[in-house]
Amino acid sequence: MKDFLKDSIPTVLFFYAQLLVFIFIVQLFYGIKSVPMGWDLITYLFILLTFGLLLFLAYRYYRLRDYYVTIHQDKENVTWLPDPPTQLLTNIKQQHDTQTSRYAEEIERLKQQKQMEFHFIQQWVHQMKTPVSVMHLTLQKEKLQLPQAFLHNMHEELERMQQGLDLALYQSRLQKFDRDFQVQQIELRALVKDVIQEFKSSFIRNQVYPELAIPQNYIVTTDSKWLRFVINQAVSNAIKYSKPESAKIYFRTKVFEHKLTLQITDTGYGIPREDINRVFDPFFTGKNGRKFRESTGMGLYLSKQICVELGHELTISSEEGKGTTVSIHFQQH
């Protein structure tokens, strides 16, 4: 109703302007005849014509009411319009229906294309993991016959391939997070120990070793598979950006204000101050990513998105030249 009254203001103003002109002309005519109009007649005309205007506006609102109600209920997502009462609205409705149909077809086509891409990436990653595993086994079998430097480089490159495949796989799965999500009670220390074991050879090659200081009684509510990916990314970065003189990577927990925090701290190169606020941006590599080793800039971005979906908080603090701490905050009930 409010929108209709706003739209009717020009009509009302024009009507009363015409009415005043009409009364002025009639008054001028009667003035020539030396018989001026009385105020009772002017009031009568004013009331009578106003009543006619109100009837016209009521009829017009009756015909347009469905349009105003429909649009007012959902201004941002109007997918259906009632039968148009005027030719102008008929043309608008035809154009609206045509565009809506075209957009619906385009959205459906994009959904199908996205679904095909999702299945392709899933299948491709799983296919690529097989030769990577075979190469790992081959290197293990032939490690006595191959030079240590060669073995070191091959294991390092294979791990980078494995991490790249995991990034592609989890980025794809993140689009359908609600279908691949299982909440359960997880013992934090056991999960971190599994991750450390997974990076055992990488710790040894880089001569940096984990120090685990997590009590066994800490339980968190989360999805172990997704949380493992986040911890993997933090450990991978801690090893990647460790300095030659770095000795350890520390795994600690803190409890404060109903929050349990897992901290993964290294004593590596640290993050430059100008980069710290952008580390969670997609494809951002920063100075360290360009200086030391090739980086995709997607690991921390995906970790941040996963923590948002899990209901956890992911933060990073760092001092250039001294090291970095990645903190995962779990809400304790």
Side-chain angles (χ1 to χ4, degrees):
M1 186 66 175
K2 186 184 297 183
D3 293 337
F4 173 77
L5 292 176
K6 289 181 180 179
D7 291 340
S8 300
I9 288 176
T11 301
V12 173
L13 293 177
F14 177 76
F15 172 82
Y16 282 110
Q18 293 294 97
L19 179 59
L20 291 175
V21 171
F22 172 77
I23 294 175
F24 174 77
I25 293 175
V26 173
Q27 183 75 332
L28 184 62
F29 174 78
Y30 276 97
I32 295 175
K33 298 290 187 178
S34 300
V35 184
M37 286 181 64
W39 283 105
D40 54 346
L41 180 58
I42 294 175
T43 303
Y44 174 76
L45 287 174
F46 186 86
I47 294 174
L48 180 63
L49 295 178
T50 298
F51 180 74
L53 174 64
L54 292 176
L55 289 177
F56 169 76
L57 293 177
Y59 171 73
R60 188 165 178 266
Y61 176 73
Y62 172 76
R63 298 194 66 191
L64 298 175
R65 183 175 62 86
D66 290 342
Y67 264 80
Y68 283 103
V69 172
T70 301
I71 295 175
H72 182 72
Q73 287 176 347
D74 194 352
K75 294 182 179 180
E76 297 181 357
N77 187 28
V78 179
T79 57
W80 173 86
L81 291 174
D83 293 333
T86 66
Q87 187 59 44
L88 174 62
L89 291 180
T90 299
N91 295 335
I92 293 176
K93 186 176 187 301
Q94 290 176 350
Q95 185 178 12
H96 173 271
D97 292 344
T98 301
Q99 291 180 346
T100 300
S101 177
R102 187 185 303 124
Y103 291 151
E105 293 174 359
E106 182 68 14
I107 290 173
E108 185 62 30
R109 186 184 66 81
L110 292 175
K111 283 183 178 179
Q112 293 178 359
Q113 181 179 344
K114 197 69 176 178
Q115 187 71 15
M116 291 178 61
E117 292 177 356
F118 173 79
H119 288 304
F120 172 78
I121 291 176
Q122 295 275 312
Q123 185 177 7
W124 177 82
V125 169
H126 287 297
Q127 288 177 348
M128 291 300 101
K129 282 190 172 185
T130 300
V132 170
S133 300
V134 171
M135 285 188 281
H136 267 297
L137 293 174
T138 303
L139 289 175
Q140 287 293 111
K141 183 178 179 181
E142 303 294 335
K143 64 180 180 180
L144 297 179
Q145 285 76 30
L146 296 174
Q148 287 299 313
F150 175 79
L151 283 173
H152 181 280
N153 291 333
M154 286 299 297
H155 278 298
E156 189 171 2
E157 294 303 319
L158 285 174
E159 285 183 3
R160 291 174 64 187
M161 288 179 61
Q162 183 67 49
Q163 291 170 8
L165 291 173
D166 286 340
L167 277 176
L169 182 62
Y170 278 87
Q171 192 277 334
S172 176
R173 288 177 175 174
L174 188 59
Q175 302 174 29
K176 298 180 180 294
F177 184 86
D178 56 336
R179 301 183 185 179
D180 191 17
F181 174 63
Q182 184 177 0
V183 177
Q184 50 188 284
Q185 300 288 316
I186 303 296
E187 184 182 331
L188 189 59
R189 179 184 173 89
L191 180 61
V192 173
K193 284 184 68 175
D194 288 344
V195 172
I196 292 173
Q197 184 65 29
E198 186 177 330
F199 282 89
K200 179 179 178 180
S201 59
S202 186
F203 278 118
I204 296 172
R205 283 198 313 274
N206 290 273
Q207 296 183 347
V208 56
Y209 304 101
E211 182 174 295
L212 185 61
I214 301 177
Q216 291 186 349
N217 61 332
Y218 282 162
I219 305 296
V220 295
T221 303
T222 186
D223 183 290
S224 60
K225 179 179 63 178
W226 289 101
L227 181 60
R228 179 190 292 269
F229 174 84
V230 176
I231 298 175
N232 279 351
Q233 292 303 309
V235 174
S236 174
N237 287 338
I239 296 174
K240 182 188 301 183
Y241 298 117
S242 61
K243 295 186 291 187
E245 64 270 19
S246 297
K248 293 183 178 181
I249 294 175
Y250 302 93
F251 297 83
R252 305 187 181 100
T253 52
K254 288 185 177 181
V255 179
F256 181 70
E257 292 184 351
H258 303 290
K259 281 189 178 181
L260 170 64
T261 300
L262 169 64
Q263 294 181 329
I264 303 172
T265 303
D266 64 70
T267 54
Y269 291 99
I271 302 172
R273 182 179 300 177
E274 61 270 23
D275 290 347
I276 191 68
N277 292 326
R278 300 181 60 193
V279 293
F280 294 123
D281 293 347
F283 305 108
F284 178 75
T285 57
K287 288 185 178 180
N288 288 344
R290 295 188 293 270
K291 182 177 179 181
F292 298 105
R293 301 182 190 180
E294 182 180 353
S295 176
T296 63
M298 288 296 291
L300 288 177
Y301 165 74
L302 289 178
S303 297
K304 184 72 170 181
Q305 299 303 309
I306 289 170
C307 284
V308 170
E309 296 289 345
L310 291 174
H312 309 324
E313 184 182 1
L314 181 65
T315 59
I316 289 184
S317 59
S318 182
E319 186 174 351
E320 191 171 7
K322 293 187 177 181
T324 300
T325 297
V326 176
S327 301
I328 306 173
H329 308 274
F330 304 92
Q331 189 70 40
Q332 297 293 95
H333 301 287

